[in-house]
Amino acid sequence: MSDVVEKTLTALPSLLSLDPQPGSAKLSSTSKLGNLIRGITELTSKHEEEKLIQHELASIKDQVSSPNTSMRQMKELMVRAIYCESLGYEASFTYIHAIKLAQQGTALEKRVGYLAVSLFLNESHELLLLLVNTVLKDLQSTNLIEVCMALTVVSQMFPKDMIPAILPLVEEKLNHPKEIIRRKAVLALYKFYLIAPNQVQHIHNKFRKALCDKDPGVMTASLHIYLQMIQENPEGYKDLTASFVTILKQVVGGKLPMDFNYHSVPAPWLQIQLLRILALLGKNDQSASAVMYEVLDESLRRAEMNHNITYAILYECVKCIYTIHPKSDLLEKAAKCIGNFVLSPKINLKYLGLKALTYVVQQDPRLALQHQMTIIECLDHSDLIIKRETLELLFRITNAQNVVVIVEKMLEFLRVNTDDYTTIDLVGKVAELAEKYPSDTMSTVFSVGGDMMQPDIPNSFLKLLSEGFDSVEEDRKLRLFAVDSYITLLQKEPGKLPQRFLQVISWVLGEYSHLKDELEPTVVLKLLAKLLDMKHTSSETKSWILMAMTKLCEGGAEVSVVREVSETYSSSMDTVLRQRAHELQYLSQDSELRAKVLLRDNAVQTCCVAGSQVDSSLSFLDGFVSEALAAGAAPYKPPHQRQEELAQAKALSLEPYGLSLPMSMSSCSITDRQSPTLLSMSSGLSGDSAEISHKGGSTSLKLDGVKRVWGREGYLPQRAAVEEAAQVEVPCTLRSPSQQGDPDPEKQQLASLFFGLSSQSSVCLMGKPEPTPHRFRRKAKGVTDPTSSSLISTPSNVEKLLCNNLLDSNIASELAVSSAKQITELPQGLKTASCDVEAELTDIADIKQNNPSLIVDNGIVAAADEDPDRPKDLCLISHLPAELSELCHSEITPLCTIQSLVLSACHLQKEDSLVLAVFISNSSDSALQHIVSCVSDSPAEDFRGHSVVVYQYSLTVKRPSIHVSIEGTVSFQLPGEAPQAAQFSYKLPLTIFIRPLTVSTEEYGTMWLSFSHDTKQNLTLIGDGQEALTATLNVLKQKLQLHVVEIIGQEGILSCRLLQDQPCLMHCRVHAGTLAVWLRSPVPDLPDCLIYHCQRALQEY
Amino acid sequence: MQFMLLFSRQGKLRLQKWYVPLSDKERKKISRDLVQTILARKPKMCSFLEWRDLKIVYKRYASLYFCCAVEDQDNELITLEIIHRYVELLDKYFGSVCELDIIFNFEKAYFILDEFLLGGEAQETSKKNVLKAIEQADLLQEVSMLSSIDGFSWLF
């Protein structure tokens, strides 16, 4: 068949220029288009073409806007407009008419209209909104072809926000009697799943129905969704493994109708899809893999025919076999298969063979050995793609013996390669190899890779050079070699070298040129000075060069060169250069100072080792900083934060005035943990951690109060300022780089700053009596090894917290967990002091002996009454501090058990917060040491036998998601044993973070207009008649704690907030027997999540 | 699949279908880059290309190049077969297809593609069924044309 096509196609292009007749015979109706196309092919110059098209467009424009143009003519015009657009000329005036054609045309006209829309517009085009109604109408049409058209356009492009409007109709189509409709509906849902997974979360069971559809085509379509979902969460679909295996068995066994055959292979697309799914399910899972072995074997056996399609299946099969839990005889067969691929004379198969080898070679390097001759041949293949893949393969099997050859080959490739993307990738790999197996190839890498490589490559190279290897002599040799080769390079033609390389060269010469005795510093200086004079040397490079010169000048002959240079640049426009020039000037004159500042050689080494002498916290600047701040200076902000704020200031404020969050927090929110100011402030805090809270945190209060009286939102309420004063920031950042693009980073920063804050302490600062009478002495053990380690330990704890995996989706949602510990303990983790500070602490997490009388003393009998039938819960609940024990608590769920340590948790709802209580009970007789719990960095403490410790954390949602989960670790140490750790997680629905928000209708109105994120959906009403709305809203009020603002006729408005202060508004209207709900909030994803819970709440009811 | 392009040996774009949202500018840049790269390749070279983080699968049929972009973990060979099946469909529909058919009836070529691939995934792989769906739609067009021209709408 394909031969025939090929022959015909080869014969025909000549006709295009010589004889247009046969082609035009086929055009009867679209003669105008035919004329246009023929006209264009006759033209010789681009200019003429442009003229013709402009003329054509003008005539189209005339006709489309004329009221007399019929839909049929419109269709014809649209086709011509598409043609003009495809030649690259804009015909945007036709877009609206394309939508009109889709709306009003019949059959083919409509089809052309839809086609034009899908070719002209993309997902975000505003005109698409006009298409929604047309799609709605066509989805409800009784004409199958119209429904098909609507489903096609929906799965091609549809505005994300409008999905809820058509979702019910598409869902309905899953039950359509025609399989073609069902299939298209499933694919449309797949598309929705890709662009807005939240929206289709509630119809997962319908996907399952599609999977069980009696038509294999519909089932195949549903596999796309499953592949996606399983990729995201393989654990959730293990139960389907056997079903997928059965399906594959039937397909391989030829049980499907002949229609599904492709070149007499049964349903190859389906087979490949299933193999990919099985690979995901069987990965790292022995029992799931065991189910698959038989069918995989069968697949390998059946796919014997010599055709591309069988190779496609074989390749997927091999990939699957190597991904799942290994089975030796299958691996053997798969290896043979790969061998056939690699040895095949067909270049496509060879390529795939190499790719498969790359994939498996880490598990089985012998396989590469078997084919080494072929691989070597491929290295010199004329096709760059083959070469590239071979290099990739070699990269994976590099060892100390072959590294030189492989790197040489890679560099060879780099020299001829022109594609930037590949260059960057490959340079990275060469650099990685060069670091792993040190050799002298880096010069070539730098000159070949040029300025395109990642900036960390030269850095790590320099680090490698300075830190050296095992033997001193080798280091010396390597450095000498570097100096030698760089001098030669500079003497030749330095103008061609990339900037990055010049920087590396100048650093190396500055550091190590003294190693070469016969080399005069003047020579080096002159070479460097020559570099400075070159036109295209960037100012960054220049400052590197100046620094190198500073290291080199030792007085004597070189002074004249230096003086000249420093004079030139000390008046430079560039401040950095000017500074370097001044440094050079001073240091070249004062040799004593120079010796002190610039340590040489071994001294450098010791300096590196004794890095601890460097006060990275810059604490010596503390005094200066606080003075400046007291004088009204603005606190330091890292550049990225400044930029963000700048960007935000430019945008319109969409936040409501009334609900300003504690904005003044951001004034001292230093989120970058590398920031020196941050460290210095916190070290200042930790120095006298015990007193600071009692002093009322005077310094920090001043900062906050002074600086941010007027925020972006206007005047900040005084109340907030007082509270913030207590909420001295904890030096940890919850921001991850990926979050930078979030629409409301400031808010997230804020949320992150709540980390480790204690509601208790703020109460305390505001002058209320201390709530807990239990006092005990405790040693602040801190960290036993001095200095820097403590600086590292805190962030690592924080990162643990950041790893909150979400349940069934990968929407990143993070919890800012604020520890309910006393503020006095917070800086402890950061504390640099090594001594054991004795501190008298008031702790709400009190340790008690298992002493029943205490329970009575604390007056928690009330709690006991609540749960008479759960003695264990009761027992744990009794350990809650008094002010919490009266709150309504959830069931206590066990988290994990390690040895005698049992962890369990429950959550308690407070009006303004959600408290998570974690119980740690030790049932053994022996005392435990160093219990470090949990979600946040609670301090280590000793823990006696048979006792219970309660930790409480107040939780805040940073980014809404349907469910949130908290992950944490507990680590402890038994006396005389190694430390142990266990991880646990705790899952919560979003609803428990929802609180009613009391606003008036007017306030509601202003807020509504200012919120940017919204979602709409139809929900089912409860009951019917006049009272249906009230009844439904009451259910929502009870179940989700929403506040009903007002109900007028068939409309109602509700409001709520997500802890702490993230509002969400809801507008409901009874329409055609359903409740049309519209949610708005300034927080992304909050409306989507809330609508889900509303739906659930009504369903459960 | 991320997108599909059809272009002639002269580098003229004949058909383009994008399954991922991209701006006009990006689309133009991508197609220009790819057309250049592919036209520069020799006939006996591999049908696969690595391009940015995508995998390009292309095949030449007479004067036309068919080119698809898939993700790295997708199966290249089956993508090649998708191209082949599409050519078979065109061939069957037009009756030994040539470039001219596609130039003059590009909207038909799009309809066939839409019936074969939906949202970037193969939805119907049976040649018979795809053509049946297309013919039904064509038939409907003729019927509606008839009715609108001759005033026989009451008949239908």
Side-chain angles (χ1 to χ4, degrees), chain A residues 9 12 316 348 351 355 383, chain B residues 41 47 55 62 75-76 98:
Chain A
L9 284 169
L12 276 163
E316 210 59 54
N348 288 344
Y351 172 82
K355 201 176 147 186
D383 193 345
Chain B
R41 289 177 64 80
S47 297
K55 185 77 60 156
N75 192 312
E76 290 92 345
C98 68

Side-chain angles (χ1 to χ4, degrees), chain A residues 313-505:
Chain A
I313 296 173
L314 275 180
Y315 176 70
E316 210 59 54
C317 225
V318 167
K319 248 171 96 174
C320 180
I321 289 171
Y322 271 97
T323 313
I324 62 172
H325 189 85
K327 182 169 189 259
S328 60
D329 64 322
L330 272 183
L331 286 180
E332 219 166 273
K333 283 178 189 166
K336 218 173 106 198
C337 235
I338 295 179
N340 289 340
F341 274 73
V342 175
L343 294 172
S344 165
K346 289 185 182 172
I347 188 160
N348 288 344
L349 294 187
K350 202 181 264 303
Y351 172 82
L352 283 185
L354 289 171
K355 201 176 147 186
L357 267 185
T358 317
Y359 192 71
V360 303
V361 83
Q362 275 145 325
Q363 296 180 33
D364 188 3
R366 280 175 307 138
L367 214 50
L369 227 61
Q370 275 174 29
H371 300 296
Q372 54 176 322
M373 281 324 288
T374 326
I375 295 173
I376 289 169
E377 273 167 36
C378 289
L379 258 185
D380 292 321
H381 203 280
S382 57
D383 193 345
L384 279 185
I385 298 299
I386 300 278
K387 259 190 177 171
R388 171 83 183 77
E389 198 58 45
T390 317
L391 289 177
E392 186 73 42
L393 170 61
L394 290 178
F395 171 69
R396 307 274 172 105
I397 52 169
T398 311
N399 55 35
Q401 280 84 49
N402 59 16
V403 63
V404 179
V405 189
I406 291 178
V407 168
E408 190 47 48
K409 286 284 173 195
M410 285 178 155
L411 293 174
E412 213 171 84
F413 182 88
L414 276 175
R415 282 192 201 103
V416 292
N417 180 56
T418 48
D419 175 31
D420 294 357
Y421 198 87
T422 322
T423 307
I424 294 171
D425 183 57
L426 212 54
V427 165
K429 286 187 172 135
V430 176
E432 196 183 322
L433 288 181
E435 253 177 70
K436 246 196 265 174
Y437 311 99
S439 58
D440 43 26
T441 49
M442 280 315 274
S443 314
T444 338
V445 177
F446 284 126
S447 47
V448 173
D451 293 327
M452 227 140 41
M453 64 174 87
Q454 312 286 357
D456 56 331
I457 294 175
N459 287 348
S460 52
F461 170 67
L462 294 183
K463 197 165 156 238
L464 185 78
L465 209 55
S466 65
E467 283 173 359
F469 311 112
D470 301 332
S471 101
V472 180
E473 189 46 37
E474 264 204 12
D475 289 352
R476 208 183 121 78
K477 259 198 227 154
L478 182 65
R479 288 168 191 164
L480 260 177
F481 175 81
V483 170
D484 266 347
S485 52
Y486 292 163
I487 292 279
T488 339
L489 270 176
L490 288 188
Q491 277 162 346
K492 267 192 257 163
E493 241 186 306
K496 282 192 183 145
L497 298 174
Q499 300 295 320
R500 287 259 163 73
F501 191 28
L502 287 180
Q503 292 165 10
V504 170
I505 290 179

Side-chain angles (χ1 to χ4, degrees), chain A residues 794-812:
Chain A
T794 310
S796 75
N797 271 330
V798 174
E799 265 144 28
K800 258 180 231 150
L801 175 69
L802 268 175
C803 297
N804 292 326
N805 280 335
L806 281 176
L807 313 173
D808 41 10
S809 64
N810 63 352
I811 319 157

Side-chain angles (χ1 to χ4, degrees), chain A residues 918-983:
Chain A
V918 178
F919 303 90
I920 305 179
S921 40
N922 175 12
S923 52
S924 77
D925 297 324
S926 50
L928 298 170
Q929 276 178 353
H930 297 298
I931 297 203
V932 183
S933 134
C934 286
V935 256
S936 68
D937 49 327
S938 306
E941 51 187 299
D942 287 346
F943 189 11
R944 280 159 291 178
H946 288 299
S947 59
V948 177
V949 179
V950 186
Y951 288 96
Q952 41 179 56
Y953 306 93
S954 120
L955 307 181
T956 324
V957 177
K958 242 180 118 183
R959 263 186 79 178
S961 158
I962 286 173
H963 295 276
V964 286
S965 83
I966 309 152
E967 299 212 338
T969 355
V970 58
S971 54
F972 65 95
Q973 193 174 13
L974 286 165
E977 279 182 36
Q980 299 188 51
Q983 293 193 329

